[in-house]
Amino acid sequence: MNDNEEPGWVNLFFYGAGLSAALALIAALLFGGSAGPLAHGPGVADITINLSGIPVREHCTTCHIQGGLPNVEAHGGRVEFHPDIAPHSVQNLGCTGCHLGEGMALDPEISHGLPGLEARRILKGKEVQARCYACHELNPLPGAERAWQGYVLFRTRACDTCHRISGNGIGGRFGPDLGTIGSHLGLEPLKVAIRDPKRDPPNSIMPRFPLSRGQARDIAFFLKSRVKDPLYATPMQIMAGIQDPPVISMPIPEDLPSKGHLLSSRKCLACHKFGLEDGRIGTDLSAIGAMREREYISVFLTDPSKKIPGAIMPRVKMTAGEEKEIVNFLASRATKPSPVSGANASGYDQEGKEAKHLYMTLCQRCHAASGDGRGLIQPNLANFPRPFAGNAEFFRVTPDQRIVSSIEKGIAGTSMPPYGNLLDKNRSKMLIDLLFEAFIGIPRTEKTTMPPLPVAAEAPSDSKRAETRYMEYCSRCHGRYGTGKGPEYLDFQPRPRNLTNEPYFAAINDERIARAIADGIPGTAMPAFREELSAEDLWGLAALVRRFSAGEVYE
């Protein structure tokens, strides 16, 4: 026999071991893991229920006599039977149609639902209503009030703007289809996914909506009923098409002008702020017309990623007439921030109050009241807002005019809007002075002179050489094709720059790109490569960034 040839008994051994494991699993499911069938009484009550043409076999009543408590002695001799559920009946419906669980298993742990994502975990008490709409059509239903409220929240909180629910024709296509999610996740995993979307996966773009635990539970109740084969969908209904559920009317905020009613009916306010209404997910639209041109608003509404690459806002389905109406309304919103109360005062104290008022009105939603960049809507922005607190080194090397320009003209390709039409020169100065005094912690005039950049060669740099250097130094963070999503990008906050952001790079010159590569960017994970790169490599990488931002890729 060849030294490298496996002996024949090895394969037979593994085949036998696999068969034994399979038989052991079947035995555990049918007869219990350790206690065996005799632990459940002298016999096995095997029943078959016909649920809308689907045969369902169960052993549940072997332990739960007439649907009651499974062990009378363990409950002090108390006998309790299943409550009346008329017009339903346990005899006709069985148990697992409403309660789930593994109905053919006899082991207590297995029968109440296998571990993992808890898709079959037993439902008890009020949790049972999470199964009502697996049989009943979506309409208000006695006994399923929480699940119905979950459906109302799903519609009014704009979940259906991104997610589709198969079988009833509603919903968007920006996020995963939730039409069968109840067949895959239990109630607790559903609640976690709703309240903390980035827990798994960590790169999820779904924002964390301001929902209470009770509201998240209600939505989970509703989603648990979204299953692969809803029992109410008879063959005839499937052929004819299931009717859409009733329309959920959207409440119109009292302070919303009548011409802006589409902000409510199209669920913009489920995410954005306008006046007193605040979805706490997106930007403030109250004075958007003073910050963004009509063309910008129109393009952003129809395709957000054209103006801010990586924007998580979905394209909301609406008619051309509705789009025009919303654009016209938002373009007319140009109310400047009102002066702080007590404006009769004068001098430094009044300017300080006014500056704080401006910061809290215009800046803290993104940059945070503490100035660390982790504001209310920061997790939902394509780019991390510039932190002020603890970031003195960045502002030492940043020319003052660039800071002024960022306030007045905004930063292209990001959510930073231009405030030039909202703030006059004096108010802009007050705001910038506040940033240095309250957060940055150095005089505004304190600047570091940076060393000059190497002179670029007159001849074009070797593009293949630049691509090699990029893969060596840059790709692990910025990704092979410059999208900012390299294999290590989740390790950093702020995230690596998206080098394909055409609006951003079109607004800056080659020197600024080369400066970022040579000297790094304080306050971020971007290191300095001045010592590692030759002049040819430095300017070659700057040229490659230009190619990325222009939509060019390399093999």
Side-chain angles (χ1 to χ4, degrees), residues 2 11 25 32 37 56 65-66 90 104 117 168 178 222 232 267 281 286 323 332 345 356 367 438 509 527 554:
N2 191 304
N11 289 332
L25 177 59
V56 177
I65 307 300
Q66 296 186 36
V90 178
M104 288 295 289
L117 298 179
N168 54 25
L178 302 181
F222 162 64
Y232 72 84
K267 306 173 188 178
I281 297 293
S286 303
E323 288 179 357
S332 68
K356 291 177 183 177
H367 295 275
N509 57 30
Y554 61 89

Side-chain angles (χ1 to χ4, degrees), residues 164-198:
R164 189 173 180 81
I165 308 175
S166 298
N168 54 25
I170 64 169
R173 300 178 184 273
F174 196 69
D177 190 326
L178 302 181
T180 62
I181 192 67
S183 297
H184 308 294
L185 294 181
L187 285 177
E188 191 58 34
L190 280 170
K191 287 189 286 186
V192 171
I194 293 166
R195 285 184 56 83
D196 190 6
K198 288 181 171 55

Side-chain angles (χ1 to χ4, degrees), residues 19-288:
L19 180 61
S20 299
L23 291 174
L25 177 59
I26 293 172
L29 288 171
L30 293 179
F31 304 112
S34 57
L38 295 180
H40 300 273
V44 175
D46 186 2
I47 63 174
T48 300
I49 306 297
N50 188 322
L51 293 179
S52 189
I54 303 174
V56 177
R57 294 184 65 198
E58 300 178 345
H59 290 157
C60 306
T61 53
T62 298
C63 299
H64 296 269
I65 307 300
Q66 296 186 36
L69 294 172
N71 190 327
V72 175
E73 289 79 12
H75 292 85
R78 179 164 56 92
V79 178
E80 182 177 311
F81 299 111
H82 198 286
D84 181 21
I85 56 173
H88 306 88
S89 73
V90 178
Q91 289 73 25
N92 293 332
L93 290 178
C95 306
T96 55
C98 295
H99 292 279
L100 295 178
E102 302 292 342
M104 288 295 289
L106 291 179
D107 180 87
E109 295 298 324
I110 296 176
S111 64
H112 285 185
L114 293 171
L117 298 179
E118 304 181 6
R120 297 290 300 181
R121 188 185 71 79
I122 201 80
L123 302 177
K124 298 180 289 186
K126 293 182 178 180
E127 292 179 342
V128 175
Q129 65 182 286
R131 289 286 294 174
C132 292
Y133 291 115
C135 296
H136 294 273
E137 293 189 15
L138 278 169
N139 282 297
L141 184 68
E145 290 81 6
R146 290 289 191 183
W148 174 254
Q149 179 61 23
Y151 170 67
V152 173
L153 285 167
F154 187 88
R155 298 298 300 271
T156 57
R157 293 304 182 95
C159 304
D160 60 331
T161 300
C162 291
H163 296 284
R164 189 173 180 81
I165 308 175
S166 298
N168 54 25
I170 64 169
R173 300 178 184 273
F174 196 69
D177 190 326
L178 302 181
T180 62
I181 192 67
S183 297
H184 308 294
L185 294 181
L187 285 177
E188 191 58 34
L190 280 170
K191 287 189 286 186
V192 171
I194 293 166
R195 285 184 56 83
D196 190 6
K198 288 181 171 55
R199 179 181 295 190
D200 185 21
N203 62 338
S204 169
I205 63 172
M206 175 174 161
R208 180 171 182 171
F209 282 82
L211 297 166
S212 67
R213 293 183 183 276
Q215 290 173 322
R217 177 195 58 191
D218 293 349
I219 296 176
F221 279 170
F222 162 64
L223 291 179
K224 186 60 185 169
S225 70
R226 303 298 89 195
V227 293
K228 182 178 180 181
D229 296 306
L231 299 181
Y232 72 84
T234 64
M236 183 66 73
Q237 285 176 304
I238 293 174
M239 290 177 63
I242 299 173
Q243 296 296 312
D244 284 352
V247 175
I248 303 298
S249 59
M250 299 294 298
I252 299 178
E254 294 182 1
D255 65 324
L256 183 66
S258 58
K259 290 185 177 181
H261 69 98
L262 285 173
L263 289 185
S264 178
S265 63
R266 288 304 177 214
K267 306 173 188 178
C268 305
L269 300 184
C271 292
H272 290 280
K273 182 180 187 300
F274 186 91
L276 300 178
E277 192 74 10
D278 191 354
R280 300 170 63 83
I281 297 293
T283 52
D284 188 345
L285 303 178
S286 303
I288 190 69

Side-chain angles (χ1 to χ4, degrees), residues 396-415:
R396 279 196 181 95
V397 300
T398 302
D400 192 69
Q401 184 52 45
R402 178 177 155 191
I403 300 171
V404 173
S405 177
S406 296
I407 298 287
E408 294 182 351
K409 299 179 181 180
I411 301 177
T414 78
S415 297

